[in-house]
């Protein structure tokens, strides 16, 4: 049954931990946003410049990888896929409410995560509708 849990739940939780840990501290929302931008490490490039990678960048990278696997899962026609679609929709509503109502979640990083969750929901429903239509066309003949 764990396969029904949307994988994009993981980066949402990571984001919430980073934002809420900065929010609970003395800095409030500004500290939370700074925690997302501050570089964790730097990679020297051939051009001589440095590529600074922050917490927000790593969360987005993880989100993109997990979105790929969620899109692969959406092509499944198992019964657990319907539960996955429903949980993805609940996650999308939660993310949308958090983005609109909580100051620490109104960032570009979280908006991109929200967009990935929305794409997961849309892909799941579109794939389900298309495969159901093909089943109907095949059965009608």
């Amino acid at each position: 049954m764990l396969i029904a849990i949307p994988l994009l739940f993981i980066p949402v939780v990571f984001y919430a931990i980073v934002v809420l840990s900065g929010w609970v501290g003395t800095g409030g929302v500004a500290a939370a946003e700074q925690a997302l931008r501050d570089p964790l490490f730097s990679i020297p490039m051939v051009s001589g410049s440095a590529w600074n990678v922050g917490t927000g960048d790593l969360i987005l990278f993880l989100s993109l990888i997990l979105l790929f696997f969620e899109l692969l899962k959406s092509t499944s026609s198992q019964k657990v896929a319907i539960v996955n679609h429903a949980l993805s929709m609940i996650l999308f509503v939660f993310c949308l409410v958090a983005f609109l109502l909580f100051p620490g979640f109104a960032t570009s990083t979280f908006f991109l995560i929200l967009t990935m969750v929305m794409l997961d929901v849309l892909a799941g429903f579109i794939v389900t509708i298309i495969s159901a239509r093909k089943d109907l066309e095949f059965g009608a003949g």
Side-chain angles (χ1 to χ4, degrees), residues 11 37-38 51 57 60-62 70 100 103 121-122 127-128 131 140:
R37 285 192 301 263
D38 283 344
W51 176 29
D57 301 327
L60 285 176
F61 180 67
L62 174 67
E70 273 295 316
L100 294 174
V121 170
L122 289 174
V127 167
T128 303
S131 57

Side-chain angles (χ1 to χ4, degrees), residues 4-28:
I5 298 174
L7 294 174
L8 288 172
F9 179 73
I10 297 168
V12 171
V13 169
F14 283 160
Y15 184 90
I17 289 170
V18 169
V19 167
L20 294 178
S21 66
W23 208 5
V24 171
T26 58

Side-chain angles (χ1 to χ4, degrees), residues 1-10 66 69-88 120:
M1 193 64 177
L2 287 176
I3 197 167
I5 298 174
L7 294 174
L8 288 172
F9 179 73
I10 297 168
L66 293 177
F69 287 111
E70 273 295 316
L71 292 176
L72 289 178
K73 277 178 31 178
S74 71
T75 61
S76 170
S77 61
Q78 299 174 353
K79 291 180 183 178
V80 74
I82 295 172
V83 176
N84 180 277
H85 299 329
L87 291 175
S88 293
D120 174 37

Side-chain angles (χ1 to χ4, degrees), residues 88-98 114 117:
S88 293
M89 179 60 94
I90 291 169
L91 180 63
F92 172 70
V93 170
F94 170 78
C95 289
L96 184 62
V97 168
L114 171 69
V117 173

